[in-house]
Amino acid sequence: MTVRLAVFDDAPAVAAVHVQTWQSAYRGLVPDAELDNLSVADRTAMWKRAIPRGGVWVAELDGTVVGFAAVGPSDEPDAAFKLYAIYVLPSASGRGLGFELALASLEGRQDVALWVFEENPRARRFYERLGFRADGPVKTETIGGAGLKEIRYRLGVAS
């Protein structure tokens, strides 16, 4: 297992992980049509823009990207940083890759916020094991016509 800072050429692999994990993790939560229409090509373009800015880490098994994390300056007015994404392919889960990605991407960062779907108890438990705590704010994100409640979690501040 290797966790390293992503490079531009990782964009297609990160995009493939992004699409596959969404289709697996959010089936039954996000409308099927929305998940079925996710495009690796569209996500590749997005990651080609994001990776050069830094803050994206990948996890590899046997030289293949099987997970990623993205962190950067927060768009939250009261948090310094935001964990934008952390995903590991189902076929690679249970090996500690998510934890290693979190350690790498959060190293040296204080006051980190993230949003997680309320109806995603597995992710919520994962973040809580890392020390994140729900700090009160909630919002509803509309994806494919479905209103999905999100809860904000924080790390590094009293909540």
Side-chain angles (χ1 to χ4, degrees), residues 78-94:
D78 59 348
F81 297 97
K82 187 169 180 182
L83 181 59
Y84 288 93
I86 186 165
Y87 294 105
V88 174
L89 289 175
S91 61
S93 68

Side-chain angles (χ1 to χ4, degrees), residues 74 76 79 81-83 111-115 132 152-154:
S74 181
E76 302 286 320
F81 297 97
K82 187 169 180 182
L83 181 59
D111 191 16
V112 182
L114 64 84
W115 289 90
F132 283 88
R152 189 172 76 169
Y153 274 60
R154 295 286 290 278

Side-chain angles (χ1 to χ4, degrees), residues 23-87:
Q23 290 172 333
S24 173
Y26 300 138
R27 187 75 61 188
L29 185 60
V30 171
D32 286 350
E34 189 73 20
L35 295 173
D36 294 340
N37 288 323
L38 291 175
S39 162
V40 173
D42 290 346
R43 296 288 167 122
T44 297
M46 181 191 82
W47 288 110
K48 282 183 176 181
R49 290 187 304 273
I51 288 172
R53 292 188 293 235
V56 181
W57 279 258
V58 294
E60 294 178 317
L61 286 176
D62 301 321
T64 300
V65 173
V66 295
F68 73 93
V71 67
S74 181
D75 56 0
E76 302 286 320
D78 59 348
F81 297 97
K82 187 169 180 182
L83 181 59
Y84 288 93
I86 186 165
Y87 294 105

Side-chain angles (χ1 to χ4, degrees), residues 51-151:
I51 288 172
R53 292 188 293 235
V56 181
W57 279 258
V58 294
E60 294 178 317
L61 286 176
D62 301 321
T64 300
V65 173
V66 295
F68 73 93
V71 67
S74 181
D75 56 0
E76 302 286 320
D78 59 348
F81 297 97
K82 187 169 180 182
L83 181 59
Y84 288 93
I86 186 165
Y87 294 105
V88 174
L89 289 175
S91 61
S93 68
R95 300 177 188 191
L97 293 168
F99 183 75
E100 293 299 324
L101 283 164
L103 287 179
S105 63
L106 298 173
E107 183 178 8
R109 289 181 168 81
Q110 298 292 319
D111 191 16
V112 182
L114 64 84
W115 289 90
V116 61
F117 292 130
E118 180 181 49
E119 293 183 34
N120 190 347
R122 183 173 184 221
R124 292 177 63 186
R125 284 190 304 271
F126 173 77
Y127 294 127
E128 289 165 4
R129 283 193 303 270
L130 291 171
F132 283 88
R133 297 291 175 254
D135 73 332
V138 296
K139 66 181 180 180
T140 300
E141 182 174 350
T142 302
I143 300 177
L148 302 169
K149 187 175 178 182
E150 291 184 292
I151 300 170

